[in-house]
Amino acid sequence: MECGIKQPWAIHKPPKVYFYDNADVENNAGTRLENLVATTLLKRNHFLEDYFGHQCSLHYLRYKDGREVDFAVVINNQLHDLIEVKQKDNDISKNLKYYKDKLKPNNAIQLVANLPRPYEKDGIKVISVTEFFSNPP
């Protein structure tokens, strides 16, 4: 990951493909949700660039041993958010916790489509997708 983030290991980045039109995504609720989050994060990044003049980029992390986190939002060469997306599971992702501890982002967030109520544990916010995106930057 090239973005000024210092790390003592190599990140393996196989490509991930997202579609602007969510109807083009295969018929899998989890995949559709992740695609929807990707396009919404990208729009948010474009807003931050246009309105505030920040340099923003969107990545995903995957270590060679298979540990991955769905999204890493980088603003002005600083890791701002690590975001994991889940359809139903509201247990905190071990991979998100691992990368939060190693990379020390401003925010570590797990977005869940069907979440009875939000909570925070060990510095990780678990929140519904709609609640997360209802608060503009």
Side-chain angles (χ1 to χ4, degrees):
M1 189 172 157
E2 296 176 57
C3 54
I5 299 171
K6 305 245 185 292
Q7 57 207 23
W9 61 86
I11 297 292
H12 175 66
K13 287 190 340 183
K16 261 191 168 183
V17 177
Y18 295 103
F19 297 95
Y20 280 105
D21 186 346
N22 221 37
D24 290 336
V25 180
E26 65 184 50
N27 196 15
N28 173 300
T31 304
R32 282 183 186 257
L33 179 64
E34 187 175 328
N35 191 87
L36 181 67
V37 169
T39 56
T40 307
L41 287 171
L42 189 59
K43 290 176 201 174
R44 182 178 271 191
N45 279 359
H46 289 167
F47 172 79
L48 292 172
E49 290 173 341
D50 294 344
Y51 192 80
F52 295 107
H54 296 306
Q55 289 182 330
C56 301
S57 57
L58 186 60
H59 305 271
Y60 101 97
L61 300 179
R62 184 163 190 248
Y63 190 60
K64 58 187 171 186
D65 68 1
R67 273 184 249 192
E68 70 176 72
V69 170
D70 294 324
F71 301 103
V73 177
V74 176
I75 301 174
N76 297 328
N77 286 334
Q78 298 296 318
L79 180 59
H80 194 269
D81 299 320
L82 284 179
I83 301 173
E84 182 69 16
V85 180
K86 300 288 185 188
Q87 181 67 31
K88 297 176 187 172
D89 186 11
N90 65 346
D91 292 335
I92 292 177
S93 160
K94 291 177 186 175
N95 295 339
L96 179 59
K97 182 166 177 16
Y98 172 82
Y99 280 119
K100 179 195 88 60
D101 293 342
K102 293 292 182 188
L103 299 176
K104 313 242 185 286
N106 291 354
N107 301 296
I109 304 154
Q110 183 162 304
L111 300 179
V112 182
N114 302 309
L115 184 68
R117 67 181 165 187
Y119 68 94
E120 187 169 333
K121 183 178 178 186
D122 299 326
I124 296 174
K125 297 173 197 166
V126 180
I127 189 169
S128 74
V129 176
T130 53
E131 189 173 339
F132 178 75
F133 285 117
S134 68
N135 298 314

